[in-house]
Each structure stands twice: as structure tokens, then as C-alpha cells.
Amino acid sequence: MSETATITIEGKEFVYPVIHGTEGEKAIDLRKLRGDSGYITYDDGYGNTGSCLSEITFINGEVGILRHRGIPIEELAENASFLNTAFLVIYGHLPGKEEYETFSNSIGSNASVPGDFSHHFSGFPNDAHPMAVLSAMLNAIGCYHGKLTSNNREQELEHFYKAASLLISKVRTIAAMTYRMRKDLPFVEPREDLGYVENFLHMMFHGEKEDYQPSAEEAHALDLFLLLHADHEQNCSTSTVRMVSSGGANLFASVSSGVSALWGPLHGGANTAVVKMLQSIHDSGDDGSQFIEAAKSGKARLMGFGHRVYKNYDPRAKILGGAAEKLMANMGHSDPLLDIARHLEKAALEDEYFIQRKLYPNVDFYSGLILKAIGIPVEMFTVMFAIGRMPGWIANWHELATTSSRIHRPRQIYTGKTDQHYVPVKDR
Ligand code: SDX
């Protein structure tokens, strides 16, 4: 007999089915609650609400597990590339040799943008925030691909592979063009003979740094950074992508909204906030101890710490912390901000305030130090998060597009004024 949950409302019992996930998660299926009882649920911030069934990513926040299509993030970080992981997240399996070559070639051949596209950049002030530019440009690039942005779902699904490859490729080009725009440098054409991150770094720094060639260590560290950001179930920006997609909007419009949602300092903007926090701690001569006290008293927030789901160590933070140390050792340079980060981590993990609230380092705590070591400016850090998260947004758009037809439209409890009437301006 299938499991049920009983809710008693005003003396009447309502029985609802319990849904079981493949990893043992349980949910009460309340889709009929309002029709049965006139009641809705209230869950500020959706901390207890499942918005969908999904096969893409599983997180167990209590023990710090993250898997993409069932494969642990640690195994992917150790053995896969960003593009391998992107394919897995989007298409549901690791690509075979031929599949990978086709996918990689489709991305390599989609890196350039139309000739007149670069004019869009001249409409932005040079100090425009890169996330504002990226969000706008993702819709702008969609204007050159009518079949992929028709809002005719059947047609878009027919061309989905092309749209996915185009976005994964061009998000990188747009990011590099934004960097060059901000520095008043000429744009650099992509090269089809370079790998995914090598091409990005080429478009960013070619000609700016004498005989620039990214080292293998830098390229590997950036590829790992992107891999670790590929997807993370129903986070703020991915839920936004699904929300926008549920209205029938095309993939480009949906990921553009994901960029806007990611921008905030509590979400993807945290990697920028962490490095600015570490820099200000360093400049003040504090080793982090004073800052910890400020965070505990609510006068400051320890950016890069805490998570709605992880109540244990974010496995991505563990990997990124090690990768930051390895990169700096390989590059032969140290960063005092890494020492401060390590001190903050140690102090926080031993402090009752953080232990009681189960606050651990999250993906943003060490990630910015890798980008900083590679020479990517802090204003671009959240754009780098968006490049990494593109496959996850694409996969969630596709999953919704192929499994659900209901528009996402939450209810609310109205708490405003009741029964008012219009008052002519002479009587106000
Ligand atoms: C990402 O959802 C995802 O999966 C996101 C992400 C992804 O891959 O997509 O993992 C990426 O966004 C990671 C999170 C990056 N943000 C930060 O690092 C910003 C700092 N963290 C916090 O603002 C906070 O922890 C959140 C936003 C991440 C989570 O917020 P919640 O779940 O709403 O928790 P809360 O704000 O209700 O905090 C619970 C308690 C509060 O104290 P009390 O009111 O109980 O006394 O913990 C405290 C908070 O004050 N707290 C912190 C803290 N985070 C929470 N205190 C100090 N420093 C912090 N960082």
C-alpha cells in the first residue's frame, strides 16, 4: 500500500500521497490541497517546497554529497573535463568517443559571433557590470537565431542540440568581449584549434599580455572551476530558468534570466564578495580573527560560508581549496588572501556560532582565489560562475520543456488593506 500523509483541517482529514525519490527523499504531494480544502501552504524562501521532479543532480546537504546523473562530483573532478560534464548534465550520460568529438567540434565551431554583433558592446559604458552585459547579450545573440528563439517549443526542441552548443560556446566569447570592452582593447577572434578554456583565455588576454600563453596548470584549474559549477539542482538561478521556461519562453531568454538571478551577492555574486572580504581583512591588518567576531555579532557576513542545502562541507569547496593551493604552488606564487581564507575556515569550523548553525565553506569561498591567480578581474568572477552553470541551466530548461506543461505560478496570502474605495483628489 503506498505511503500517505494525513492533514487535519478544521476537524476534517485530508489524505495525500507521499512521493519517494530514488535517493530516499520524501515529499507530500499537495497538488490537490487547495481544491480539497481551500488552504494553500506558506513556505517563505521555498526551503521546504519541491518545485519539480528532476533526474539531473542530487544533493544530500546533511552529509555533503553532490552527484550529476548519479556520478559523484569527486569522480568527475578527478577524471572528467568541463565539456564531458556538460554533456553528462545535459544529455544524461557520459559521451562516447564519437559523441564527445561531435559535441566538442560543435562548440569549437560556434565560438565566433556575427560581424555586426560587436556593435552592441558600444552601447554600454565601459564600466558596465559584466553580468548586466552578459544577460543582455544572451538575448541579443538569440536574435540572430530565429529558429532557436521562436517560442515554438516543438521547433526549439528540434534544434536543441545546436542551441545548447551555441550557448555553451558563445557565453565564453561574450564574456571575453566584455572584458576587452571594459579595458578598451580590441576584440580577439576565437581559434578553433584551442580547447574550451584555452580559447577563452586566448580571447581574454591575447595581445594584452606579452606573448600570452595560458599554462597547462591555469587551463586545468579553470576547467575544474567550470566543471564544479556545472549544475546544482534547484538553486535560485536554476529555479528562475525553470520559472521563465515554464511560460514557454525560449532557451536564450531563460538563461538570460538565470544570469540576472545569479548576480546577487547571496548567490553567484558571493565569489566576488569573498575576495573583496578577504582583501579588506588583509588591508586592515586583521588575520581574520576580528572579522569572525564581527560575523558572529551580525555586524558582518562571512561570505562564502553557509548554504541553504549543505549543512556539512560543500564538496566543491573542498576540491576548490585544494586546487587553489596546487595552482599557486605550480605558478610559484603565494597569495596572502589564501592564508587568511584558511585561517577563517579553521577558526569558523571550531567556533560554536558556526557549528551550531552548521555553516561551512561553500563553492564560493575558494573559487575566486583561483580566478585571481589566473588574472581574471574580480568584476568578472560571477560571469565565470555563469559560464560554468550554463550546462545546468540548459539541462533544466530541457527537462522542463520535455516533461511539464504547467506554467509556474505560486499563490500568496494577501495581507494588505481590505475594502477601500477611490477618493477624489480634492478630498485627499
Ligand atoms: C551559492 O542554492 C545553491 O545551490 C547555491 C549555490 C549553487 O551552486 O547554485 O551553491 C551557489 O549561491 C552558494 C552560497 C553563496 N552565498 C554566500 O556565500 C553568502 C553568505 N551566505 C549566506 O548569506 C547564507 O548562508 C545563504 C544565503 C547562503 C543561505 O541563507 P539561508 O539558508 O537563508 O540561511 P539564513 O540566512 O537564514 O541563516 C541562518 C542563520 C542566521 O543566523 P540566525 O538568524 O539563526 O541567528 O545562519 C546565519 C544567519 O545570520 N548565517 C551566517 C552566514 N550564513 C548564515 N552568519 C554569518 N555568516 C554567514 N555567511
Side-chain angles (χ1 to χ4, degrees):
M1 183 182 133
S2 63
E3 200 178 334
T4 59
T6 303
I7 303 176
T8 304
I9 300 176
E10 296 171 14
K12 193 175 170 198
E13 287 198 348
F14 298 89
V15 181
Y16 294 101
V18 170
I19 296 174
H20 291 256
T22 50
E23 288 281 359
E25 296 165 302
K26 294 182 181 179
I28 303 169
D29 181 349
L30 292 176
R31 285 177 288 181
K32 293 191 174 139
L33 176 67
R34 189 169 184 274
D36 292 349
S37 67
Y39 279 63
I40 63 171
T41 59
Y42 175 61
D43 184 20
D44 176 30
Y46 302 120
N48 305 282
T49 297
S51 64
C52 61
L53 305 177
S54 180
E55 300 179 357
I56 303 168
T57 291
F58 169 68
I59 302 172
N60 179 323
E62 273 55 48
V63 296
I65 288 174
L66 168 57
R67 297 187 192 130
H68 295 313
R69 305 287 186 177
I71 301 176
I73 193 68
E74 294 83 0
E75 290 183 29
L76 292 168
E78 184 65 31
N79 304 294
S81 67
F82 171 57
L83 288 189
N84 250 295
T85 305
F87 188 100
L88 169 72
V89 162
I90 295 172
Y91 298 107
H93 63 275
L94 286 168
K97 191 168 177 303
E98 263 184 46
E99 279 179 315
Y100 181 75
E101 270 172 28
T102 306
F103 183 60
S104 175
N105 292 339
S106 73
I107 287 171
S109 60
N110 267 295
S112 57
V113 291
D116 58 353
F117 185 78
S118 55
H119 297 318
H120 293 289
F121 287 88
S122 56
F124 284 96
N126 269 10
D127 62 352
H129 194 289
M131 287 295 273
V133 178
L134 180 60
S135 179
M137 292 301 188
L138 286 171
N139 263 316
I141 200 73
C143 297
Y144 293 81
H145 300 278
K147 279 198 186 133
L148 310 183
T149 55
S150 60
N151 287 359
N152 169 327
R153 190 90 348 141
E154 197 179 327
Q155 183 180 52
E156 287 173 8
L157 288 173
E158 195 186 319
H159 301 284
F160 173 73
Y161 189 94
K162 160 87 174 170
S165 300
L166 189 150
L167 279 166
I168 291 172
S169 189
K170 286 179 171 49
V171 66
R172 192 187 33 165
T173 309
I174 293 168
M177 292 175 83
T178 305
Y179 170 79
R180 305 288 289 196
M181 171 198 86
R182 288 170 58 88
K183 304 211 61 170
D184 225 2
L185 293 169
F187 298 133
V188 176
E189 280 300 310
R191 282 177 38 188
E192 289 206 24
D193 61 318
L194 293 177
Y196 188 83
V197 291
E198 293 82 354
N199 209 354
F200 168 71
L201 292 171
H202 166 71
M203 291 188 277
M204 285 277 286
F205 300 129
H206 176 71
E208 185 194 10
K209 301 180 179 180
E210 194 66 31
D211 299 331
Y212 178 73
Q213 285 294 336
S215 69
E217 291 81 7
E218 288 173 305
H220 174 74
L222 184 54
D223 191 87
L224 178 61
F225 169 99
L226 296 175
L227 182 159
L228 290 168
H229 286 76
D231 189 51
H232 211 241
E233 55 131 284
Q234 299 313 308
N235 59 83
C236 174
S237 53
T238 301
S239 296
T240 301
V241 168
R242 287 182 86 112
M243 172 71 83
V244 170
S245 170
S246 76
N250 63 76
L251 178 59
F252 292 71
S254 300
V255 297
S256 170
S257 64
V259 170
S260 300
L262 185 70
W263 190 352
L266 296 186
H267 189 16
N271 57 19
T272 304
V274 167
V275 169
K276 288 183 175 175
M277 171 189 77
L278 296 173
Q279 191 63 56
S280 73
I281 292 172
H282 175 265
D283 297 347
S284 70
D286 172 20
D287 66 357
S289 309
Q290 293 163 35
F291 192 85
I292 286 278
E293 291 314 309
K296 286 162 63 178
S297 63
K299 292 197 188 85
R301 180 140 282 212
L302 186 50
M303 302 309 278
F305 255 71
H307 200 278
R308 174 62 58 78
V309 175
Y310 287 120
K311 300 310 171 193
N312 203 315
Y313 214 111
D314 181 335
R316 302 167 296 174
K318 222 173 254 175
I319 299 166
L320 285 162
E325 285 190 346
K326 190 175 167 197
L327 176 63
M328 289 178 204
N330 288 336
M331 292 174 75
H333 87 228
S334 63
D335 185 341
L337 301 192
L338 179 59
D339 301 332
I340 291 175
R342 285 296 189 203
H343 176 86
L344 284 172
E345 177 188 3
K346 185 174 181 309
L349 294 182
E350 291 166 359
D351 188 295
E352 197 43 43
Y353 174 94
F354 296 90
I355 293 168
Q356 185 201 342
R357 291 167 179 79
K358 297 183 178 177
L359 301 175
Y360 292 86
N362 60 49
V363 67
D364 292 304
F365 192 60
Y366 288 109
S367 57
L369 295 176
I370 290 175
L371 301 176
K372 181 171 177 282
I374 294 171
I376 295 171
V378 66
E379 296 74 26
M380 293 282 294
F381 283 8
T382 310
V383 166
M384 300 311 296
F385 191 142
I387 295 174
R389 186 53 52 88
M390 188 57 74
W393 289 337
I394 290 169
N396 277 272
W397 181 92
H398 186 265
E399 185 170 69
L400 182 134
T402 51
T403 57
S404 152
S405 59
R406 280 173 67 81
I407 191 168
H408 289 192
R409 201 269 186 226
R411 307 302 295 247
Q412 63 163 30
I413 294 294
Y414 177 72
T415 55
K417 286 182 183 168
T418 59
D419 200 17
Q420 304 293 300
H421 298 285
Y422 180 78
V423 175
V425 67
K426 64 180 175 49
D427 300 335
R428 288 178 207 161

